[in-house]
Structure formats: C-alpha cells, structure tokens
Amino acid sequence: MSEKTSCLLRVCALLLLLFGQSLQGPPSFSVDYKDDCFRKDGQRFRYISGSIHYSRIPRVYWKDRLLKMYMAGLNTIQTYIPWNYHEKYPGQYNFSGDRDVEYFLKLAQDIGLLVILRPGPYICGEWDMGGLPAWLLSKKDIVLRSSDPDYIAAVDKWMGKFLPMMKPYLYQNGGPIITVQVENEYGSYFACDYNYMRHLTKLFRSHLGDEVVLFTTDGAGLNFLKCGSIQGLYATVDFGPGSNITAAFEAQRHVEPHGPLVNSEFYTGWLDHWGSRHSVVSSAYVAKSLNQILSTGANVNMYMFIGGSNFGYWNGANSPYAAQPTSYDYDAPLSEAGDLTEKYFAIQEVIKMYRKIPQGPVLPSTPKYAYSTVTMKKLQTVSDALEKLSYSGPVKSIYPQTFIDLNQSLGFVLYRTTLPVNCSSATPLSSPLNGVHDRAYVSVDGVAVGILERNKAITVNVTGKAGSQVDILVENMGRINYGRGINDFKGLVSNLTLGKELLVGWTMYSLSIDEAVGQGLLWETTSTQTQPPQSASLSLPTFYGGSFTIPDGIPYLPEDTYVKLPNWKKGQIWINGFNLGRYWPDRGPQVTLFVPANILSTDAPNNVTVLELEGASCNSQPCTVEFTTTPILNATVQPEYEQHRRLSAKEDLL
Ligand SMILES: *[C@@H]1O[C@H](CO)[C@@H](O)[C@H](O)[C@H]1NC(C)=O
Ligand SMILES: *[C@@H]1O[C@H](CO)[C@@H](O)[C@H](O)[C@H]1NC(C)=O
Ligand SMILES: *[C@@H]1O[C@H](CO)[C@@H](O)[C@H](O)[C@H]1NC(C)=O
Ligand SMILES: *[C@@H]1O[C@H](CO)[C@@H](O)[C@H](O)[C@H]1NC(C)=O
Ligand SMILES: *[C@@H]1O[C@H](CO)[C@@H](O)[C@H](O)[C@H]1NC(C)=O
Ligand SMILES: *[C@@H]1O[C@H](CO)[C@@H](O)[C@H](O)[C@H]1NC(C)=O
Ligand SMILES: *[C@@H]1O[C@H](CO)[C@@H](O)[C@H](O)[C@H]1NC(C)=O
Ligand SMILES: *[C@@H]1O[C@H](CO)[C@@H](O)[C@H](O)[C@H]1NC(C)=O
C-alpha cells in the first residue's frame, strides 16, 4: 500500500467516523407533536413503565426489584423523590445508604431501564406530608404548594441542591432519565396558584436545561387539569382500571391536542388504611384494562409495580384522619417483599403482545424463613426511660407546644403536667377542639387511664389528688399527604381541659427513641421500680426486649421473614436498631411486618425491641413475637373501625 493510499484510507476512515457519529447524534428524548408520540434518538418511542420507590425498599434489594421489573417487559421505571427523606432538618442533606438515589439511578441504567423522575416538591405517595418536610410548618400559617415566599425559598434551596445532582442523569447527558415531573396532581389542590407552577417551571428549566421533557400529572378530568396543567409542561393524566379509557384520554387531549397519550399512574392495586379492609384488585381486571390502554398506543406507568414498606414512621394519612399502615404492598404485581405474583405474570403476558420482552428466567421470589419465637422481657416504661430518650432535656411552657415547636418531626413526644385540683370522682380530661394529633396514651401517677385519639376519642375520665403527675405520650401516626389537610401539626395542637379548667404548666420531652434503641440504651438496665398495678386492658407504654440467633449450619441464612405480634395491641418494632414500622393487629388489616434479611445478623444475637403502647395481654405467660413465612395483610377489621366510605379513586379522597 502506497503512502498516498494509506493516507487516503485514513482520511476516509476519519470521515466515516465523523459522519457516522453525526448520523447517530447525541442522545435525545423529546415530544413529537406531529406524530403524537415520544421520540428517543429520533425513533418513535413508547414507554411501558412501573413505579418503584427506593425509599420503601432496602438498598440491597433495589437491583433484585429492578431486574424483575425489566424481566416483566418494562422499558422504564418511575420514582418519587421524597424531599423530607433527604432533608431532615433545613440544610442537612442525606443521600447515602438507603437514600442514595444516584446509585439507584445507575442500577436502573445498568439494567437497561429508563427513568421517569418525579421530584415533587410535593409527591403525595401515601408518604408523610406528601414528601414535604414537616419543618416547613415552623412558619405556622405557611401556604404549602403555593407562592408563599417562605415555601418558595425552601423549595428553591432544596431544588438548587437536588436538581443539579440529577442533571448528569438526564437522557441527553448520557443518563437514564427521559422525563421529569413537576409537582404532582396540582389540579387536585385548592390553591390553584399558577404563579407557583410558573415558578417551578422556571426553576426546573434553570437547573435541568431547555431540552428535558418536563411534564405534569393530574386526574383524568377537566376539573383537575384546569389548575394542574400549565404552558411549558406536557400534561398527562392518571386513572385506574375502572375508568373509561376513551373519556380519560379525551381529557388529556383537551389540554394537549397533540403529542403522546400518557397515563402516568395506572393503578395496579390500591392503598390501605388502619381499620379498613385490605384493598385488592384482580389481576384479570388490571390486565384487561392495561391491554386496552396499550392498544390505543398510549404510554403507561403502572402505579405501583412494587409498593414496598413504610419503614419507621414514613406512612402518610388521608382526611378525615385515617393513617396508612406500614405495609405498602398495594396489591401490586411484585409483593411488598418483591415476590412474583399472579398479577406479575398476567401483566407480562399483556406486555408481550406489544413489545419483545427479555428472554430468560425471572429471578425467583426471595425465600422466607420462620426463625424461632422470641420471648420478650419487659425492659422499662417510657416514663422510666425519659433520661435516655430525651437527651435534649425537657421544654417547659404554660400551654402545650407542637412537635415542630419542639424541633421534632416524627415519632413520639411526652407531655407532662399535674392535676390542678382534687379529682375524687371521675373527671373528664378532654381535648375539646379535637387537638390530639394523633393518639395519646394517658396516665395519672403511673397508672394508665385511657387513650385519646384524633376524631375518635376526645375525653378520658381521671381521678387523683391535686398535684398528681399526668403523663401523656403523644404518637404522630403519620401526616396527611393529600388535600387541604397537609399542614398537619402533631402533638397536642390545642389545649386540654380538666373538667372546666384549662390544663397548664407543661413539661415536654422530645423523644429520640430510635437513637436510644440503636445504641442499646434501653437494654442497659431493666426497670427495678415497682409500678402501681395497671388495669387488665391498659398499661403504660413500655419497652420490651428479646433476642434470637440464626441457626448454625444453614448456609443460605439469613433470609427474609415476616414478624407478627399475636397478643400485642399497638406499637413500634425494631430489629437490631432498624425501625420496621408500626404494628396494630388489634385494628388491622395488617398483621405481619416485612423483615428484610439484610438487617439480620448471623454473628451475634439479633435484638428485637418493641414499644407497646397499650399493654400486651400476656400477663400469665411470657410475651412473644413470632416469625412466619406468609404475610397477612388482610385480617378482618373490627366493624366499628370500618370506614363508612370505601375509597377507591383519587376523587374519593378530595
Ligand atoms: C443517612 O441515611 C442513611 C440511610 O438511611 C443512614 O444510614 C445514615 O445514618 C444517615 N446519615 C445521617 C448523617 O443521618
Ligand atoms: C366512554 O367515554 C366515551 C367518550 O366520553 C363515551 O362515548 C362512551 O360512551 C363511554 N363508554 C362507557 C362504557 O361509558
Ligand atoms: C433541631 O435539631 C437538629 C438536630 O439535633 C439540629 O441540628 C437543629 O439545629 C435544631 N433546630 C433548631 C431550630 O433548634
Ligand atoms: C385536696 O384534698 C386534700 C385532702 O384530701 C386537701 O388537703 C387539699 O387541700 C385539696 N387540694 C386542693 C387543691 O383542693
Ligand atoms: C366519664 O364518666 C362519666 C360519669 O361517670 C360517664 O358518663 C362517661 O361516659 C365517662 N366517659 C368516658 C370517656 O369514659
Ligand atoms: C391555650 O389557651 C390559651 C389561653 O386561652 C391560648 O392563649 C393558647 O393559644 C392556647 N393554646 C393552644 C395550643 O391552643
Ligand atoms: C444485640 O445486643 C447485644 C448486646 O448489646 C450486642 O452484643 C449484639 O451485638 C447485638 N446484636 C446485633 C446483631 O447488633
Ligand atoms: C387473605 O388473603 C389470603 C391470601 O391471599 C386469602 O387466602 C384469604 O382468603 C384472605 N382473607 C380474607 C379475610 O380476605
């Protein structure tokens, strides 16, 4: 080969390389208003997506769940970003461990899944306060989700931190994120503040650039789209299997005459509330409706594809106050524990008709193991353990303060005062303005006397001498996440009365129970104080502890499991310091809590700590907690607690 030809060849090769690259171009994702579709790298594209919330799944299981979603035939996932999960106190950010959203995005991309990002700031999602940080309420009259300057300042600061982190993960920058949602179902909120939505649009654009597809999601009705959709953001709708698909997409078309049809939340199941029946939606019903949606050529995201768990205190609530349980199973195609269900395969069958799905076996469900029953020993009461639980020490004030006044968001606060008068006969201790948010365990001189509960019980009768100590442990059962009620203050949010007198002179203990449990402080000494006898049905809020070892010689252990608390009433349970969530078998429908294997140890005894709020009925025999391989999420609910109306659509929650 002459030097000349070789040189020519090299020039050709270079030209080819340049030409080839420009043909392919940089990655792009856009809305095509002419052909009514999305375009990915210039090609017509339709997503079939599923929702997964990393905040409800331990990090070690993210890959397993994402792979299962990929194998079902999804090409995309959708996730919410709960702001309050990442910014616990103003300016204190956490993106590590289970909160490492960047790692989650990388995993999705490695597996071959695209991502629809829903950073809020408000997310709803059956998550405490719809993802808004409770510390926003330190301005008492703040109008959340509006142009309120204090709200906007906090949003700007948070998004100024978070959105730049996401920029490298946008599709056009080589990442998996194809679209980004602004706000969430804003048209269902009373404020209808277009300036707020315009502000968010500018904010998102300024951090993410002009190219990314920004969108909104609203209920599929003109009444929702009126305040929810805004110029510059692509409007999409959400609706479940019971809906009239034609009518639903007509609503979208009303505001977006051209562009892709999108159902951003197609409900595969539904949420639960304590005291209401477990929601189930049949696979056949979901599959049939999914098929109809896909046959129109629409894009769809299944909400949820896997629900997971509200570990700790993260569940939300609806209004009139009804808290959601720990499990967020949602009757989704992958169970709370990531198990394959009949619905998973029914959906996979439908997807198969529309796109080539990956070949090969689906990862199996994770096996479960029933560890031995744990005998629980009484450790100490909350009142006895106050010094360990409240290192900041008490705050004193004439009238009661709320959690936020006390710089606490979640969990429990102990309110203490004394009886101002002799109550020789039963005297009503009341919250006349229904200001116990949400449940309070009342004792007088160390004897449990009753429970106050938001909307349900505003009075307990007490007896005692003037000067007797009144302890009221108030539980935050989860902030309202939907509607007007999201400014959901916790604690004693109004005054209590005793007979005709106002109770004053409060000492309030902000409780760091999780820290104390994590450090094993409650196990150090067991209570030596003799307690006054309690009634048969109610005792003081008390910690219990017990441990179990994982049997030797079984190489595949530890495995996942479910824990149940048969004779217990209501409380919180930790294993090795990990807060599994709330249990309330007394009210149902959830009876078992998911225990992921990653919190268990084979090297040391596993420590179970329980805070029982009402009294375990195991006075004659020792109290135990039990492990089981089968979840129970649908136990019979006592009729008195059954909600009068059964909620099955967003409209019903208004
Ligand atoms: C951040 O979150 C991770 C995961 O939940 C947790 O392990 C860690 O302790 C948190 N860090 C701080 C400083 O709170
Ligand atoms: C569904 O909605 C379309 C358009 O509004 C209407 O023509 C049709 O009758 C509806 N179908 C049913 C079954 O209600
Ligand atoms: C609230 O508590 C956190 C954590 O202890 C602390 O960093 C913060 O400064 C406190 N805020 C106020 C207003 O006291
Ligand atoms: C309460 O009753 C005791 C006697 O049982 C009496 O000595 C005391 O003065 C009374 N206190 C008040 C505040 O009424
Ligand atoms: C309190 O006592 C009064 C009088 O004995 C009784 O009528 C009322 O039902 C009691 N209230 C509660 C909540 O127990
Ligand atoms: C309690 O009552 C006092 C006196 O009427 C009032 O000033 C105060 O705001 C009330 N506190 C709450 C939390 O309602
Ligand atoms: C359980 O607590 C004991 C005593 O504090 C400790 O030695 C052990 O390491 C703990 N187990 C685990 C798995 O953390
Ligand atoms: C609860 O769910 C299980 C498993 O799906 C089912 O066998 C059982 O019949 C259900 N029980 C009730 C009361 O619905």
Side-chain angles (χ1 to χ4, degrees):
M1 204 188 322
S2 78
E3 212 171 282
K4 208 170 163 189
T5 5
S6 133
C7 182
L8 241 165
L9 269 177
R10 259 183 277 154
V11 170
C12 279
L14 190 71
L15 277 174
L16 206 77
L17 202 78
L18 287 173
F19 188 61
Q21 254 179 8
S22 75
L23 248 194
Q24 206 183 338
S28 69
F29 194 90
S30 59
V31 169
D32 181 338
Y33 290 96
K34 207 166 108 276
D35 286 338
D36 294 342
C37 64
F38 287 115
R39 289 221 172 256
K40 180 165 142 306
D41 301 328
Q43 303 293 310
R44 214 186 161 84
F45 176 80
R46 179 247 287 270
Y47 63 70
I48 302 177
S49 166
S51 284
I52 168 173
H53 300 154
Y54 60 91
S55 55
R56 288 181 157 128
I57 300 169
R59 173 192 175 106
V60 292
Y61 280 132
W62 290 348
K63 192 172 175 184
D64 173 83
R65 311 307 190 244
L66 290 168
L67 271 169
K68 285 170 179 163
M69 294 173 82
Y70 179 75
M71 294 306 290
L74 306 182
N75 54 13
T76 306
I77 58 152
Q78 190 194 64
T79 194
Y80 274 139
I81 310 295
W83 175 7
N84 56 8
Y85 193 58
H86 293 287
E87 192 177 356
K88 187 172 173 190
Y89 300 105
Q92 296 182 26
Y93 303 107
N94 188 345
F95 293 100
S96 67
D98 284 349
R99 291 172 164 81
D100 188 351
V101 55
E102 290 190 66
Y103 176 66
F104 179 76
L105 295 172
K106 284 181 204 151
L107 278 177
Q109 186 170 22
D110 288 349
I111 287 167
L113 290 162
L114 297 165
V115 174
I116 300 165
L117 195 73
R118 307 216 283 171
Y122 164 84
I123 62 166
C124 192
E126 288 72 68
W127 189 264
D128 186 75
M129 207 166 148
L132 297 175
W135 48 257
L136 290 169
L137 299 175
S138 56
K139 181 191 175 190
K140 285 200 160 48
D141 57 354
I142 194 164
V143 185
L144 301 167
R145 306 178 70 194
S146 82
S147 305
D148 183 306
D150 294 280
Y151 174 71
I152 292 290
V155 168
D156 287 355
K157 197 161 161 256
W158 159 243
M159 290 298 174
K161 168 83 186 172
F162 179 71
L163 293 178
M165 278 173 61
M166 293 297 104
K167 196 169 180 189
Y169 295 92
L170 297 180
Y171 188 77
Q172 47 273 38
N173 299 333
I177 300 172
I178 50 172
T179 61
V180 178
Q181 185 182 313
V182 179
E183 247 282 345
N184 183 58
E185 294 182 337
Y186 190 61
S188 302
Y189 191 58
F190 73 92
C192 195
D193 180 345
Y194 293 110
N195 287 332
Y196 165 54
M197 287 302 282
R198 273 194 282 270
H199 177 83
L200 289 183
T201 308
K202 267 196 253 157
L203 182 68
F204 277 51
R205 280 271 168 246
S206 73
H207 290 299
L208 299 177
D210 291 334
E211 214 184 313
V212 61
V213 175
L214 298 179
F215 74 103
T216 55
T217 301
D218 278 288
L222 299 187
N223 50 331
F224 299 117
L225 289 157
K226 180 168 166 279
C227 297
S229 63
I230 186 165
Q231 206 176 7
L233 304 179
Y234 191 73
T236 72
V237 291
D238 55 21
F239 58 90
S243 307
N244 179 332
I245 294 168
T246 314
F249 282 135
E250 269 174 18
Q252 191 197 350
R253 275 285 171 255
H254 189 82
V255 282
E256 292 293 355
H258 299 286
L261 294 176
V262 181
N263 182 352
S264 289
E265 287 188 1
F266 171 67
Y267 306 108
T268 59
W270 196 248
L271 53 136
D272 280 349
H273 297 102
W274 290 118
S276 295
R277 255 168 303 173
H278 177 53
S279 303
V280 277
V281 181
S282 87
S283 303
Y285 194 45
V286 171
K288 181 168 171 239
S289 182
L290 177 66
N291 189 12
Q292 284 166 356
I293 292 173
L294 290 178
S295 70
T296 67
N299 297 265
V300 66
N301 170 70
M302 285 168 259
Y303 187 101
M304 297 297 299
F305 206 85
I306 171 167
S309 314
N310 297 311
F311 293 120
Y313 310 104
W314 286 116
N315 68 275
N318 274 303
S319 194
Y321 192 79
Q324 296 127 16
T326 302
S327 171
Y328 197 58
D329 179 89
Y330 213 82
D331 197 28
L334 290 170
S335 76
E336 173 176 18
D339 290 350
L340 306 167
T341 67
E342 181 204 344
K343 198 176 279 177
Y344 176 93
F345 294 104
I347 287 173
Q348 190 185 45
E349 283 307 309
V350 174
I351 298 176
K352 258 187 201 163
M353 299 192 280
Y354 296 92
R355 70 182 292 261
K356 199 158 162 289
I357 71 166
Q359 297 295 301
V362 182
L363 289 172
S365 296
T366 54
K368 311 292 183 297
Y369 191 86
Y371 303 98
S372 57
T373 294
V374 185
T375 300
M376 301 294 287
K377 197 175 59 172
K378 203 175 257 190
L379 299 175
Q380 44 200 317
T381 65
V382 169
S383 299
D384 286 344
L386 268 189
E387 269 178 40
K388 292 167 186 158
L389 297 173
S390 179
Y391 1 100
S392 53
V395 170
K396 288 175 190 276
S397 75
I398 299 176
Y399 306 114
Q401 298 187 357
T402 67
F403 272 47
I404 291 306
D405 294 333
L406 301 167
N407 192 21
Q408 183 172 340
S409 290
L410 305 170
F412 300 83
V413 168
L414 183 85
Y415 291 78
R416 178 172 281 177
T417 187
T418 51
L419 290 181
V421 291
N422 284 325
C423 302
S424 45
S425 62
T427 311
L429 187 157
S430 297
S431 176
L433 300 178
N434 189 23
V436 172
H437 289 193
D438 304 296
R439 211 157 185 268
Y441 308 89
V442 184
S443 64
V444 176
D445 279 342
V447 180
V449 295
I451 297 171
L452 298 169
E453 187 176 341
R454 186 171 180 177
N455 298 350
K456 290 201 164 75
I458 59 162
T459 300
V460 293
N461 282 334
V462 301
T463 54
K465 288 202 285 287
S468 292
Q469 180 174 295
V470 180
D471 274 2
I472 304 180
L473 181 69
V474 181
E475 176 186 10
N476 164 0
M477 294 206 300
R479 286 191 182 77
I480 290 173
N481 61 271
Y482 185 82
R484 278 177 180 271
I486 55 173
N487 292 49
D488 195 3
F489 291 89
K490 294 303 185 184
L492 297 180
V493 308
S494 61
N495 287 301
L496 296 189
T497 54
L498 181 72
K500 291 198 169 58
E501 293 209 34
L502 201 62
L503 279 175
V504 291
W506 292 93
T507 304
M508 293 158 291
Y509 296 82
S510 181
L511 303 182
S512 305
I513 295 180
D514 289 77
E515 286 77 354
V517 171
Q519 291 166 24
L521 298 181
L522 302 168
W523 290 57
E524 280 168 0
T525 50
T526 49
S527 181
T528 49
Q529 294 178 26
T530 42
Q531 270 160 27
Q534 307 291 318
S535 80
S537 59
L538 192 66
S539 9
L540 296 173
T542 302
F543 290 99
Y544 290 77
S547 62
F548 66 100
T549 48
I550 291 184
D552 271 340
I554 307 181
Y556 49 80
L557 293 184
E559 285 180 343
D560 293 348
T561 186
Y562 299 94
V563 66
K564 62 177 172 180
L565 297 100
N567 293 303
W568 306 74
K569 294 220 177 99
K570 185 186 196 309
Q572 202 84 30
I573 177 169
W574 294 258
I575 295 186
N576 297 330
F578 183 87
N579 190 336
L580 287 169
R582 306 171 209 265
Y583 64 86
W584 203 358
D586 223 29
R587 196 157 295 183
Q590 178 177 6
V591 168
T592 57
L593 283 85
F594 176 56
V595 181
N598 60 288
I599 66 167
L600 302 178
S601 168
T602 46
D603 303 335
N606 293 283
N607 302 313
V608 183
T609 311
V610 166
L611 169 56
E612 168 57 48
L613 298 162
E614 299 181 16
S617 43
C618 45
N619 293 325
S620 48
Q621 78 271 37
C623 296
T624 58
V625 304
E626 300 174 12
F627 295 101
T628 167
T629 56
T630 354
I632 305 167
L633 300 176
N634 62 350
T636 322
V637 168
Q638 295 172 34
E640 62 177 301
Y641 294 119
E642 185 72 58
Q643 296 280 306
H644 291 305
R645 61 206 171 99
R646 207 166 135 66
L647 310 167
S648 61
K650 286 285 161 79
E651 292 87 299
D652 296 342
L653 295 174
L654 276 179

